């Protein structure tokens, strides 16, 4: 069965520091991969997605993610974090040969300190 | 920018009562979804809906749950007899479709959620 793992439940970074949130997937074929962000009181907003092609994808708000097949990973990165980036981040996968339901990881809560 | 809206934002109900959660998907989208997130757990898929019928459902979506598109804009999730374990955040999402195949596009747009508390 497909699964998405986010190993870090909480991450704390200083404002201006770089950020990397980890995501690993478990599936035989390459899935479609997504990162969503949820700010307090808000819905899940799509940051970026990977379907095929260039393994480094750019998203909104200065985020990027790199797909690494050898590591079954799709880590989210940002070179310089802003206080407004504090939120919950979810990695998700989609496998079109098993329906169109997104399969989410448990999420990583990001805290940004001054 | 078009967005998915959900009402109410919070719902408190007594165990055994029926609740209806409402969603207004993005207007030209044809695929609709419900997900839920129990506190401290991951977001889980419940059901997808297309062309006035359920397209796919998870094992969570048992006979206590039903979905409906009562008019051209709303999409609802009904829980007939709520249990304590139904307490969760419920998210609605919608997606566009490919004009040639009618399959949903791969990006789902989510609403802000309804927090359901069953006492």
């Amino acid at each position: 069965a497909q699964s998405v793992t986010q190993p870090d439940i909480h991450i704390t970074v200083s404002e201006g520091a770089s950020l990397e949130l980890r995501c690993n997937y478990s599936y035989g074929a390459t899935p479609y991969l997504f990162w969503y962000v949820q700010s307090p009181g808000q819905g899940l907003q799509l940051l970026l997605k990977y379907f095929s092609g260039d393994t480094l994808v750019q998203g909104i708000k200065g985020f990027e993610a790199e797909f690494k097949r050898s590591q079954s990973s799709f880590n989210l990165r940002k070179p310089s974090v802003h206080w407004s980036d504090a939120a919950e981040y979810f990695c998700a996968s989609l496998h079109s040969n098993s329906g169109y339901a997104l399969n989410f990881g448990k999420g990583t809560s990001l805290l940004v300190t001054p | 920018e078009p967005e998915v809206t959900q009402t109410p934002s919070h719902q408190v109900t007594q165990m055994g009562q029926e609740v209806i959660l409402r969603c207004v998907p993005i207007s030209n989208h044809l695929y609709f979804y419900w997900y839920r997130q129990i506190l401290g757990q991951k977001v889980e898929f419940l059901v997808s809906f297309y062309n006035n019928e359920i397209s796919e459902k998870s094992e969570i979506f048992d006979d206590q749950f039903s979905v409906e598109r009562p008019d051209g804009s709303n999409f609802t999730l009904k829980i007939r007899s709520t249990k304590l374990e139904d307490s969760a955040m419920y998210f609605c999402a919608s997606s566009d479709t490919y004009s040639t195949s009618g399959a949903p596009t791969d990006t789902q747009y989510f609403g802000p959620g309804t927090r359901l508390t069953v006492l």
Side-chain angles (χ1 to χ4, degrees):
Chain A
Q2 57 174 293
S3 68
V4 173
T5 304
Q6 293 180 249
D8 304 304
I9 299 173
H10 300 284
I11 292 267
T12 300
V13 298
S14 300
E15 190 168 16
S18 63
L19 170 70
E20 182 169 28
L21 301 182
R22 296 185 290 165
C23 173
N24 294 96
Y25 68 92
S26 170
Y27 193 67
T30 300
Y32 295 167
L33 294 164
F34 305 81
W35 275 99
Y36 282 86
V37 62
Q38 183 184 25
S39 299
Q42 303 295 312
L44 295 162
Q45 182 183 23
L46 180 67
L47 284 175
L48 47 79
K49 58 190 177 184
Y50 172 77
F51 294 160
S52 64
D54 193 348
T55 56
L56 184 64
V57 293
Q58 302 296 320
I60 62 171
K61 304 185 180 188
F63 286 92
E64 66 178 27
E66 185 170 13
F67 171 69
K68 292 186 178 179
R69 186 190 305 275
S70 61
Q71 299 176 18
S72 297
S73 69
F74 187 58
N75 294 348
L76 182 71
R77 300 194 296 247
K78 186 169 185 178
S80 178
V81 168
H82 188 261
W83 64 266
S84 60
D85 293 323
E88 189 85 15
Y89 291 80
F90 294 94
C91 183
S93 68
L94 181 67
H95 302 271
S96 59
N97 62 348
S98 60
Y100 301 100
L102 282 167
N103 183 35
F104 283 87
K106 286 193 172 184
T108 298
S109 179
L110 174 65
L111 177 66
V112 180
T113 59
Chain B
E1 184 178 325
E3 57 182 19
V4 177
T5 60
Q6 291 185 243
T7 53
S9 56
H10 295 91
Q11 174 88 49
V12 181
T13 190
Q14 296 290 326
M15 189 170 56
Q17 295 296 303
E18 174 183 286
V19 294
I20 297 176
L21 309 183
R22 291 182 168 79
C23 169
V24 179
I26 293 173
S27 62
N28 62 333
H29 286 183
L30 298 178
Y31 257 91
F32 315 121
Y33 312 81
W34 283 102
Y35 292 80
R36 78 171 186 191
Q37 184 183 29
I38 296 172
L39 190 63
Q41 299 185 24
K42 66 178 187 176
V43 177
E44 302 172 291
F45 169 76
L46 292 177
V47 65
S48 62
F49 188 86
Y50 173 70
N51 201 25
N52 279 321
E53 60 183 27
I54 290 174
S55 176
E56 185 184 3
K57 61 181 181 179
S58 71
E59 58 188 24
I60 302 169
F61 193 87
D62 60 22
D63 292 343
Q64 292 294 326
F65 292 90
S66 63
V67 289
E68 190 180 24
R69 185 147 165 88
D71 54 46
S73 59
N74 289 284
F75 178 53
T76 62
L77 174 69
K78 181 192 291 185
I79 309 175
R80 288 191 183 81
S81 178
T82 50
K83 307 184 189 70
L84 295 176
E85 54 265 36
D86 293 327
S87 295
M89 180 74 90
Y90 288 81
F91 293 104
C92 174
S94 69
S95 63
D96 204 347
T97 50
Y98 291 109
S99 56
T100 51
S101 66
T105 60
D106 304 293
T107 300
Q108 296 176 24
Y109 297 86
F110 283 79
T114 293
R115 182 167 296 285
L116 176 65
T117 302
V118 182
L119 303 176

